[in-house]
Short mmCIF file of all heavy atoms in Angstrom, two decimals:
data_model
loop_
_atom_site.label_atom_id
_atom_site.label_comp_id
_atom_site.label_asym_id
_atom_site.label_seq_id
_atom_site.Cartn_x
_atom_site.Cartn_y
_atom_site.Cartn_z
N ALA P 1 29.69 108.36 -18.66
CA ALA P 1 30.19 106.99 -18.84
C ALA P 1 31.26 106.92 -19.93
O ALA P 1 32.22 106.15 -19.82
CB ALA P 1 29.03 106.05 -19.17
N THR P 2 31.10 107.70 -21.00
CA THR P 2 32.09 107.72 -22.09
C THR P 2 33.23 108.68 -21.81
O THR P 2 34.24 108.68 -22.51
CB THR P 2 31.44 108.15 -23.41
OG1 THR P 2 30.90 109.48 -23.26
CG2 THR P 2 30.33 107.20 -23.83
N MET P 3 33.07 109.53 -20.81
CA MET P 3 33.96 110.64 -20.45
C MET P 3 33.96 111.75 -21.49
O MET P 3 34.79 112.66 -21.45
CB MET P 3 35.38 110.16 -20.14
CG MET P 3 35.47 109.34 -18.86
SD MET P 3 37.10 109.28 -18.10
CE MET P 3 37.27 110.97 -17.49
N VAL P 4 33.02 111.70 -22.42
CA VAL P 4 32.81 112.84 -23.33
C VAL P 4 32.42 114.07 -22.52
O VAL P 4 32.79 115.20 -22.86
CB VAL P 4 31.73 112.50 -24.37
CG1 VAL P 4 31.16 113.75 -25.03
CG2 VAL P 4 32.30 111.57 -25.45
N ASN P 5 31.66 113.85 -21.44
CA ASN P 5 31.25 114.97 -20.60
C ASN P 5 32.45 115.77 -20.11
O ASN P 5 32.42 117.00 -20.06
CB ASN P 5 30.45 114.44 -19.41
CG ASN P 5 29.67 115.52 -18.69
OD1 ASN P 5 29.01 116.33 -19.33
ND2 ASN P 5 29.76 115.55 -17.38
N LYS P 6 33.53 115.06 -19.75
CA LYS P 6 34.71 115.76 -19.25
C LYS P 6 35.39 116.53 -20.37
O LYS P 6 35.93 117.63 -20.13
CB LYS P 6 35.68 114.76 -18.62
CG LYS P 6 36.58 115.34 -17.57
CD LYS P 6 35.84 116.13 -16.49
CE LYS P 6 34.68 115.41 -15.86
NZ LYS P 6 33.99 116.22 -14.82
N ALA P 7 35.37 115.99 -21.58
CA ALA P 7 35.93 116.72 -22.72
C ALA P 7 35.15 118.01 -22.97
O ALA P 7 35.73 119.07 -23.23
CB ALA P 7 35.91 115.84 -23.96
N LEU P 8 33.82 117.93 -22.88
CA LEU P 8 32.99 119.12 -23.05
C LEU P 8 33.30 120.14 -21.96
O LEU P 8 33.35 121.35 -22.21
CB LEU P 8 31.51 118.75 -23.02
CG LEU P 8 31.01 117.86 -24.17
CD1 LEU P 8 29.58 117.40 -23.89
CD2 LEU P 8 31.07 118.59 -25.51
N GLU P 9 33.54 119.66 -20.75
CA GLU P 9 33.84 120.57 -19.64
C GLU P 9 35.21 121.23 -19.81
O GLU P 9 35.39 122.38 -19.40
CB GLU P 9 33.77 119.81 -18.31
CG GLU P 9 32.34 119.45 -17.93
CD GLU P 9 32.27 118.58 -16.68
OE1 GLU P 9 33.34 118.31 -16.09
OE2 GLU P 9 31.16 118.17 -16.31
N VAL P 10 36.16 120.52 -20.39
CA VAL P 10 37.47 121.14 -20.69
C VAL P 10 37.27 122.31 -21.65
O VAL P 10 37.81 123.41 -21.44
CB VAL P 10 38.44 120.09 -21.28
CG1 VAL P 10 39.68 120.78 -21.89
CG2 VAL P 10 38.88 119.09 -20.22
N MET P 11 36.49 122.07 -22.72
CA MET P 11 36.26 123.14 -23.70
C MET P 11 35.48 124.29 -23.09
O MET P 11 35.74 125.47 -23.39
CB MET P 11 35.54 122.56 -24.93
CG MET P 11 36.43 121.67 -25.78
SD MET P 11 35.61 121.13 -27.31
CE MET P 11 34.89 119.59 -26.76
N GLU P 12 34.52 123.97 -22.21
CA GLU P 12 33.74 125.01 -21.56
C GLU P 12 34.63 125.85 -20.64
O GLU P 12 34.54 127.08 -20.61
CB GLU P 12 32.60 124.38 -20.76
CG GLU P 12 31.63 125.37 -20.17
CD GLU P 12 30.51 124.68 -19.40
OE1 GLU P 12 30.55 123.45 -19.22
OE2 GLU P 12 29.60 125.40 -18.95
N ALA P 13 35.49 125.18 -19.87
CA ALA P 13 36.38 125.88 -18.95
C ALA P 13 37.33 126.80 -19.69
O ALA P 13 37.68 127.88 -19.19
CB ALA P 13 37.16 124.87 -18.11
N ARG P 14 37.75 126.40 -20.88
CA ARG P 14 38.66 127.23 -21.67
C ARG P 14 38.06 128.63 -21.90
O ARG P 14 38.75 129.65 -21.83
CB ARG P 14 38.94 126.53 -23.01
CG ARG P 14 39.79 127.33 -23.99
CD ARG P 14 38.91 127.96 -25.07
NE ARG P 14 39.72 128.70 -26.03
CZ ARG P 14 40.09 129.96 -25.87
NH1 ARG P 14 39.76 130.61 -24.78
NH2 ARG P 14 40.81 130.58 -26.80
N TRP P 15 36.75 128.69 -22.17
CA TRP P 15 36.08 129.96 -22.43
C TRP P 15 35.69 130.67 -21.15
O TRP P 15 35.82 131.91 -21.04
CB TRP P 15 34.84 129.74 -23.31
CG TRP P 15 35.20 129.31 -24.69
CD1 TRP P 15 35.02 128.07 -25.25
CD2 TRP P 15 35.84 130.11 -25.69
NE1 TRP P 15 35.51 128.05 -26.53
CE2 TRP P 15 36.02 129.28 -26.84
CE3 TRP P 15 36.30 131.42 -25.73
CZ2 TRP P 15 36.61 129.75 -28.00
CZ3 TRP P 15 36.90 131.90 -26.89
CH2 TRP P 15 37.05 131.06 -28.01
N LEU P 16 35.20 129.93 -20.17
CA LEU P 16 34.76 130.55 -18.92
C LEU P 16 35.89 131.27 -18.21
O LEU P 16 35.70 132.36 -17.64
CB LEU P 16 34.18 129.49 -17.99
CG LEU P 16 32.73 129.06 -18.21
CD1 LEU P 16 32.41 127.84 -17.37
CD2 LEU P 16 31.76 130.20 -17.89
N PHE P 17 37.07 130.67 -18.22
CA PHE P 17 38.17 131.18 -17.41
C PHE P 17 39.34 131.72 -18.23
O PHE P 17 40.38 132.06 -17.67
CB PHE P 17 38.62 130.08 -16.43
CG PHE P 17 37.48 129.53 -15.63
CD1 PHE P 17 37.02 128.23 -15.83
CD2 PHE P 17 36.82 130.32 -14.70
CE1 PHE P 17 35.95 127.73 -15.11
CE2 PHE P 17 35.75 129.83 -13.97
CZ PHE P 17 35.30 128.54 -14.17
N ASP P 18 39.14 131.81 -19.55
CA ASP P 18 40.12 132.44 -20.45
C ASP P 18 41.52 131.86 -20.27
O ASP P 18 42.50 132.57 -20.04
CB ASP P 18 40.13 133.96 -20.22
CG ASP P 18 40.90 134.70 -21.31
OD1 ASP P 18 41.02 134.15 -22.42
OD2 ASP P 18 41.37 135.83 -21.04
N VAL P 19 41.61 130.54 -20.37
CA VAL P 19 42.89 129.84 -20.29
C VAL P 19 43.04 128.94 -21.51
O VAL P 19 42.07 128.67 -22.22
CB VAL P 19 43.00 128.99 -19.00
CG1 VAL P 19 42.97 129.87 -17.77
CG2 VAL P 19 41.89 127.94 -18.93
N GLY P 20 44.26 128.48 -21.76
CA GLY P 20 44.49 127.57 -22.87
C GLY P 20 44.05 126.15 -22.54
O GLY P 20 44.02 125.76 -21.37
N ILE P 21 43.73 125.39 -23.56
CA ILE P 21 43.36 123.98 -23.35
C ILE P 21 44.46 123.24 -22.62
O ILE P 21 44.21 122.38 -21.76
CB ILE P 21 43.06 123.30 -24.71
CG1 ILE P 21 41.79 123.88 -25.34
CG2 ILE P 21 42.92 121.79 -24.54
CD1 ILE P 21 40.51 123.49 -24.67
N ASP P 22 45.72 123.58 -22.92
CA ASP P 22 46.85 122.90 -22.28
C ASP P 22 46.98 123.22 -20.80
O ASP P 22 47.76 122.58 -20.09
CB ASP P 22 48.15 123.26 -23.00
CG ASP P 22 48.24 122.64 -24.38
OD1 ASP P 22 47.60 121.59 -24.60
OD2 ASP P 22 48.94 123.19 -25.25
N GLN P 23 46.25 124.24 -20.32
CA GLN P 23 46.27 124.59 -18.90
C GLN P 23 45.17 123.87 -18.11
O GLN P 23 45.02 124.12 -16.91
CB GLN P 23 46.11 126.09 -18.71
CG GLN P 23 47.30 126.92 -19.12
CD GLN P 23 47.04 128.41 -18.93
OE1 GLN P 23 46.49 129.07 -19.81
NE2 GLN P 23 47.39 128.93 -17.77
N ILE P 24 44.42 123.00 -18.77
CA ILE P 24 43.32 122.30 -18.11
C ILE P 24 43.61 120.80 -18.12
O ILE P 24 43.70 120.19 -19.18
CB ILE P 24 41.98 122.58 -18.82
CG1 ILE P 24 41.75 124.08 -18.97
CG2 ILE P 24 40.83 121.93 -18.06
CD1 ILE P 24 40.60 124.44 -19.90
N ASP P 25 43.77 120.23 -16.94
CA ASP P 25 44.10 118.81 -16.82
C ASP P 25 42.95 118.05 -16.17
O ASP P 25 42.64 118.28 -14.98
CB ASP P 25 45.36 118.62 -15.96
CG ASP P 25 46.61 119.12 -16.65
OD1 ASP P 25 46.60 119.24 -17.88
OD2 ASP P 25 47.60 119.40 -15.93
N PRO P 26 42.30 117.13 -16.91
CA PRO P 26 41.30 116.27 -16.26
C PRO P 26 42.01 115.30 -15.31
O PRO P 26 43.09 114.79 -15.59
CB PRO P 26 40.68 115.51 -17.45
CG PRO P 26 41.09 116.26 -18.67
CD PRO P 26 42.41 116.90 -18.35
N ILE P 27 41.38 115.06 -14.17
CA ILE P 27 41.95 114.15 -13.18
C ILE P 27 40.80 113.38 -12.52
O ILE P 27 39.75 113.95 -12.23
CB ILE P 27 42.79 114.93 -12.13
CG1 ILE P 27 43.46 113.98 -11.14
CG2 ILE P 27 41.95 115.98 -11.41
CD1 ILE P 27 44.46 114.68 -10.23
N ILE P 28 41.00 112.09 -12.33
CA ILE P 28 39.95 111.25 -11.75
C ILE P 28 39.98 111.35 -10.22
O ILE P 28 41.02 111.17 -9.59
CB ILE P 28 40.11 109.77 -12.16
CG1 ILE P 28 40.14 109.63 -13.68
CG2 ILE P 28 39.00 108.92 -11.55
CD1 ILE P 28 38.87 110.03 -14.36
N GLN P 29 38.83 111.70 -9.63
CA GLN P 29 38.65 111.71 -8.18
C GLN P 29 37.36 110.93 -7.94
O GLN P 29 36.26 111.48 -8.02
CB GLN P 29 38.57 113.15 -7.68
CG GLN P 29 38.82 113.31 -6.17
CD GLN P 29 37.63 112.89 -5.34
OE1 GLN P 29 36.60 113.54 -5.33
NE2 GLN P 29 37.77 111.76 -4.65
N PRO P 30 37.48 109.62 -7.71
CA PRO P 30 36.33 108.72 -7.82
C PRO P 30 35.11 109.04 -6.98
O PRO P 30 33.98 108.76 -7.39
CB PRO P 30 36.92 107.35 -7.42
CG PRO P 30 38.38 107.46 -7.72
CD PRO P 30 38.73 108.89 -7.41
N ARG P 31 35.28 109.66 -5.82
CA ARG P 31 34.13 109.84 -4.92
C ARG P 31 33.40 111.16 -5.15
O ARG P 31 32.42 111.45 -4.48
CB ARG P 31 34.58 109.73 -3.46
CG ARG P 31 35.07 108.33 -3.09
CD ARG P 31 35.41 108.21 -1.63
NE ARG P 31 34.25 108.38 -0.76
CZ ARG P 31 34.30 108.30 0.57
NH1 ARG P 31 35.46 108.04 1.17
NH2 ARG P 31 33.22 108.48 1.29
N SER P 32 33.87 111.97 -6.09
CA SER P 32 33.22 113.26 -6.40
C SER P 32 33.09 114.14 -5.17
O SER P 32 32.05 114.77 -4.94
CB SER P 32 31.85 113.03 -7.05
OG SER P 32 31.96 112.34 -8.25
N ILE P 33 34.14 114.20 -4.37
CA ILE P 33 34.16 115.02 -3.16
C ILE P 33 34.85 116.35 -3.45
O ILE P 33 34.39 117.41 -3.03
CB ILE P 33 34.85 114.28 -2.00
CG1 ILE P 33 33.96 113.12 -1.56
CG2 ILE P 33 35.16 115.21 -0.85
CD1 ILE P 33 34.62 112.15 -0.63
N ILE P 34 35.99 116.28 -4.17
CA ILE P 34 36.64 117.49 -4.66
C ILE P 34 36.03 117.79 -6.02
O ILE P 34 36.14 116.98 -6.94
CB ILE P 34 38.16 117.33 -4.76
CG1 ILE P 34 38.77 117.13 -3.37
CG2 ILE P 34 38.78 118.55 -5.44
CD1 ILE P 34 40.27 116.97 -3.38
N HIS P 35 35.42 118.94 -6.17
CA HIS P 35 34.68 119.22 -7.40
C HIS P 35 35.55 119.85 -8.48
O HIS P 35 35.18 119.80 -9.65
CB HIS P 35 33.47 120.09 -7.08
CG HIS P 35 32.50 119.39 -6.18
ND1 HIS P 35 31.92 118.18 -6.50
CD2 HIS P 35 32.05 119.69 -4.94
CE1 HIS P 35 31.15 117.79 -5.51
NE2 HIS P 35 31.21 118.68 -4.54
N SER P 36 36.67 120.41 -8.11
CA SER P 36 37.74 120.83 -9.01
C SER P 36 38.74 121.64 -8.21
O SER P 36 38.48 122.04 -7.07
CB SER P 36 37.24 121.62 -10.23
OG SER P 36 36.89 120.74 -11.28
N MET P 37 39.90 121.91 -8.83
CA MET P 37 40.99 122.62 -8.16
C MET P 37 41.65 123.59 -9.13
O MET P 37 41.56 123.42 -10.35
CB MET P 37 42.03 121.62 -7.64
CG MET P 37 41.49 120.61 -6.64
SD MET P 37 42.68 119.30 -6.22
CE MET P 37 42.45 118.20 -7.64
N VAL P 38 42.34 124.57 -8.55
CA VAL P 38 43.15 125.49 -9.34
C VAL P 38 44.54 125.54 -8.74
O VAL P 38 44.69 125.72 -7.52
CB VAL P 38 42.55 126.91 -9.36
CG1 VAL P 38 43.46 127.86 -10.15
CG2 VAL P 38 41.15 126.91 -9.97
N GLU P 39 45.55 125.33 -9.57
CA GLU P 39 46.94 125.46 -9.16
C GLU P 39 47.44 126.83 -9.61
O GLU P 39 47.22 127.22 -10.76
CB GLU P 39 47.80 124.37 -9.77
CG GLU P 39 49.26 124.44 -9.35
CD GLU P 39 50.10 123.38 -10.05
OE1 GLU P 39 50.49 123.61 -11.21
OE2 GLU P 39 50.34 122.32 -9.43
N PHE P 40 48.12 127.54 -8.70
CA PHE P 40 48.64 128.87 -9.01
C PHE P 40 50.13 128.82 -9.25
O PHE P 40 50.79 127.81 -8.95
CB PHE P 40 48.27 129.84 -7.87
CG PHE P 40 46.78 129.98 -7.70
CD1 PHE P 40 46.09 129.19 -6.79
CD2 PHE P 40 46.06 130.87 -8.48
CE1 PHE P 40 44.71 129.30 -6.64
CE2 PHE P 40 44.68 130.99 -8.35
CZ PHE P 40 44.01 130.21 -7.43
N ARG P 41 50.66 129.88 -9.82
CA ARG P 41 52.06 129.86 -10.26
C ARG P 41 53.04 129.76 -9.10
O ARG P 41 54.21 129.41 -9.31
CB ARG P 41 52.35 131.08 -11.11
CG ARG P 41 52.15 132.43 -10.43
CD ARG P 41 52.30 133.56 -11.42
NE ARG P 41 52.06 134.86 -10.80
CZ ARG P 41 52.02 136.00 -11.47
NH1 ARG P 41 52.19 135.99 -12.79
NH2 ARG P 41 51.79 137.14 -10.85
N ASP P 42 52.59 130.04 -7.86
CA ASP P 42 53.49 129.87 -6.71
C ASP P 42 53.46 128.44 -6.17
O ASP P 42 54.12 128.13 -5.18
CB ASP P 42 53.14 130.86 -5.60
CG ASP P 42 51.74 130.65 -5.02
OD1 ASP P 42 51.00 129.78 -5.54
OD2 ASP P 42 51.38 131.36 -4.06
#
């Protein structure tokens, strides 16, 4: 509800996937159907 959860997930993803914080973009998908995405350099 506070969206603190998403902030925690950003920090968690930084360590899990060895990327910079600036490479992680939170995005609202209201129906929770897409659980997350990865964009590649191509």
Side-chain angles (χ1 to χ4, degrees):
T2 61
M3 292 202 71
V4 161
N5 196 46
K6 206 51 50 180
L8 295 171
E9 288 174 3
V10 167
M11 288 186 268
E12 187 180 6
R14 176 258 181 274
W15 292 109
L16 278 170
F17 307 111
D18 192 23
V19 296
I21 292 288
D22 290 334
Q23 288 179 274
I24 307 168
D25 291 339
I27 184 171
I28 304 296
Q29 198 284 290
R31 294 184 65 179
S32 299
I33 291 169
I34 295 181
H35 298 302
S36 272
M37 300 172 278
V38 178
E39 181 183 81
F40 298 94
R41 60 187 178 186
D42 64 356

